[in-house]
Amino acid sequence: MEKILIIGAGGQLGSELTKALADQFGGDSVIATDLQESSQAKFGYCRFEALDVMDSDRLRSLVKKEKITQIYHLAAVLSAVGEKKPLFAWNLNMESLLSILEIAREYKLDKVYWPSSIAVFGSNTPKVNTPQYCVKEPNTIYGISKQAGERWCEYYFNKYGVDVRSLRYPGLIGYKSLPGGGTTDYAVDIYHKALAGETFDCFLEKDTLLPMMYMPDAIKATLDLMNAPREAVKIRSSYNLAAMTFSPEEIYESIKKHIRGFEIEYHPDFRQEIANSWPDSIDDSHARQDWGWKPDFDLDAMTKDILENLPNYKF
Ligand code: AKB
């Protein structure tokens, strides 16, 4: 029987992935963990433990005691917050991954999941249809930590056979949690402001294109990758993954089709430079070929779904 430990379960991705894993494996097979005790309320359907991922002794003893077979390591400092606290971001993002890879090797875990990001790309990367294999000179500390993390994942797979799998997520947009310190998070916040009847103050220029994905697609991609047979997973650094590309002006126009009086203002800040260093669009043909990836949502379908569901969602 699988026993799954989710680290960072209270975050943007974790809040929704934990539920999907509990639906797949049963609530008794899933332990959600997060730094914040306050996250506990979200997890009525599975067990919750407060855990600081930097406490590797406690992590190790939890894995041993609970006979954990899979770890989903979702805790990270994202791009914008990382630029404010670079050493903190590097230490948390790297040390946590290394301790989990070591634990996976030591306890012979079945699988590990660790998310990478489009932040591994930098200003010297081809911007349009960015290929899987190309120059990667990330400009943010978050991107540097993700790039190094990808190399460590591939290393642990090649050297020790640890079955670690990873996706380079684009900006993820969900309505079940609030923005989490990323550059793409304007595209989460904008829906909250539109529904609250407020003018949206955008920290990026109106024509800044970025690759994005609606959360149900991100959950589907993650489960499909993790459920794929070991031999099908040919890339052990991290897979390029894509769904849609849009600018702030385009998401604004998409929302305005439903909320006519909605207004936006543009006041770009330090996050503009981060966005400028990332791709406009991503070539995800390896994910499509190797394990059958295909997204379901485009911009207008996502907008419709969020505007229908967010007003009734209880945080
Ligand atoms: C961020 O903006 O930092 C993240 C990411 C693209 O990985 N959403």
Side-chain angles (χ1 to χ4, degrees), residues 16 61 68 89 91 125-126 142 192 197 249 257 260 270 275 299:
E16 303 200 34
S61 65
I68 296 298
N91 288 339
T125 298
Y142 171 65
H192 292 265
E249 190 69 2
K257 288 179 193 162
R260 289 193 200 295
F270 72 101
L299 174 56

Side-chain angles (χ1 to χ4, degrees), residues 12 78-80 116-119 142 169-172 181-185 278:
Q12 259 175 312
L78 298 186
S79 57
S116 185
S117 158
I118 53 161
Y142 171 65
Y169 290 125
L172 298 185
T183 304
T184 58
D185 281 346
W278 289 351

Side-chain angles (χ1 to χ4, degrees), residues 213 239-244 282-296:
M213 180 175 283
Y239 275 94
N240 273 11
L241 191 70
M244 57 181 112
I282 300 286
D283 171 7
D284 62 357
S285 47
H286 286 272
R288 288 172 187 257
Q289 276 155 27
D290 291 358
W291 41 273
W293 162 243
K294 193 168 165 294
D296 291 328

